[in-house]
Amino acid sequence: MNFSELSGQFNAGKQDVFPAVVLNSDGLTTIAESQAWVKQHQAELEQQLALSGTILFRGFPIASAEDFDQFTASFGYPNFLYKDSLSNAVRINFTERVFTANEAPKEVEIYLHNEMAQTPIYPDKIFFSCLAPADKGGYSPILRGDLLFNALAKSNSESASAFAEKGVKYTTIMPSENDPASGQGRSWKSTLNVTSLEQAEQKLARLGYSWQWLEDGSLKATTAALPAVRTLDCGRKVFFNQLIAAYMGWRGVREHHQDTLCFGDDSAIPKQWLEEIVALSNDYIFDVPWQAGDVALVDNNLAMHGRRPYSGDRKRQVLVALGAAKTNA
């Protein structure tokens, strides 16, 4: 197995090149062959993923949700089903494991984030599959959290230390019904996988949330303190959160961020610190230039991702499957 080059990669020529790229140089033509290939090379792939944070597979025979399901299953990660998550994005399932990346309108940008880092439950791995790229735009920006944290520590050590030591709390409003026109439009019943207010409150209490029911039937919920920076087993400190996505993309947050974001000790996050993080992130973004059949495997602990707006008559189709952390149990 050989790794390939792609224009604009970070740390090109180094072991932790971002993203790593694997081409179908063995001429695999079926999913069965691809599954066997993954199992044959999995140890090397896992090693590279831990270094790079993202591996882009190009030229493999992925043409449907079912193909993608089988390809991702060959890695052996425990299933992390979307219905069991606390994500507030509206998604559509194709198989039990595979669902759309986001149903927000094509002109809406999904900003950089670690998947579900605004909740106490998040996946370990993320697979993306592009079945149909957009006519124009629609790239998926990705970013290595350790590169961003190192830049922040160098630029503003006070900010980096505060986020690392205090963590962050998120306040979200879940509507009473799904709103597909919003990137955060999943209803509280769907988000919490419940059918009544009583069940919702029991689950929120169990997960450490505080909450308030609003007059229109929506739910305002605030997390307990969650990590903003994590230290991986290898010792790398990574920016791990939804701060950029929340500040840039959640409705009304840029105007009144203090209503949605605060440090884990309830103290205020300076607006200029959030602006600085957004500005720094732009120096470390790699925009994945999707081709039909591409699969990207992202270590959610190490890399952020997002979605650029797109246009054209062709419907962009990028699907997702999630993997939980493997255990020794």
Side-chain angles (χ1 to χ4, degrees), residues 20-306:
V21 180
V22 178
L23 302 182
N24 180 12
S25 56
D26 292 337
L28 306 172
T29 60
T30 68
I31 291 299
E33 290 175 348
S34 301
Q35 289 179 307
W37 180 90
V38 167
K39 292 175 182 177
Q40 178 185 354
H41 297 287
Q42 184 156 6
E44 187 177 356
L45 291 170
E46 295 276 6
Q47 183 180 34
Q48 188 63 51
L49 182 64
L51 291 169
S52 296
T54 300
I55 299 177
L56 177 65
F57 298 88
R58 176 156 287 175
F60 288 76
I62 311 297
S64 69
E66 291 72 22
D67 291 342
F68 178 48
D69 190 311
Q70 292 179 61
F71 181 80
T72 59
S74 61
F75 285 80
Y77 299 123
N79 286 343
F80 189 109
L81 302 180
Y82 188 70
K83 66 182 180 64
D84 297 328
S85 77
L86 296 172
S87 172
N88 53 3
V90 177
R91 313 286 180 94
I92 297 174
N93 274 84
F94 282 73
T95 71
E96 186 180 36
R97 300 177 65 247
V98 173
F99 51 90
T100 52
N102 196 296
E103 287 300 296
K106 58 187 177 181
E107 66 273 10
V108 173
E109 179 158 1
I110 309 299
Y111 291 92
L112 289 166
H113 60 283
N114 296 95
E115 188 68 17
M116 304 178 194
Q118 82 284 19
T119 81
I121 303 171
Y122 46 82
D124 192 58
K125 302 293 190 299
I126 314 168
F127 291 92
F128 295 96
S129 175
C130 179
L131 300 186
D135 288 329
K136 184 177 182 181
Y139 291 177
S140 290
I142 54 176
L143 175 148
R144 270 254 303 274
D146 59 328
L147 300 181
L148 178 55
F149 181 76
N150 291 342
L152 180 61
K154 184 176 180 180
S155 172
N156 187 337
S157 60
E158 182 183 4
S159 171
S161 296
F163 282 112
E165 294 168 6
K166 297 181 180 182
V168 63
K169 289 182 178 181
Y170 305 86
T171 297
T172 57
I173 296 179
M174 307 174 201
S176 57
E177 302 293 338
N178 284 341
D179 178 10
S182 170
Q184 291 79 41
R186 196 179 181 201
S187 72
W188 59 263
K189 289 182 181 178
S190 179
T191 300
L192 299 172
N193 195 20
V194 297
T195 59
S196 69
L197 271 69
E198 292 75 15
Q199 290 176 347
E201 292 183 347
Q202 289 172 4
K203 189 163 188 176
L204 289 166
R206 188 167 66 249
L207 294 170
Y209 283 81
S210 59
W211 65 89
Q212 176 186 356
W213 294 102
L214 304 182
E215 290 184 1
D216 62 359
S218 58
L219 171 65
K220 182 178 181 180
T222 300
T223 67
L226 298 176
V229 177
R230 294 181 60 200
T231 302
L232 304 184
D233 291 342
C234 61
R236 281 187 286 182
K237 289 187 179 296
V238 298
F239 209 58
F240 177 89
N241 52 66
Q242 288 240 354
L243 287 168
I244 296 173
Y247 182 68
M248 294 295 293
W250 294 7
R251 190 176 299 164
V253 175
R254 264 183 280 183
E255 294 77 15
H256 303 285
H257 77 277
Q258 65 276 7
D259 296 336
T260 300
L261 303 170
C262 68
F263 282 118
D265 62 358
D266 296 317
S267 60
I269 300 173
K271 184 179 180 69
Q272 63 268 28
W273 287 8
L274 295 170
E275 295 279 359
E276 181 181 23
I277 290 164
V278 172
L280 283 173
S281 72
N282 290 324
D283 295 333
Y284 297 94
I285 291 173
F286 179 88
D287 281 308
V288 177
W290 290 118
Q291 295 180 11
D294 281 354
V295 172
L297 170 55
V298 178
D299 185 334
N300 191 43
N301 304 287
L302 184 51
M304 296 182 175
H305 66 276

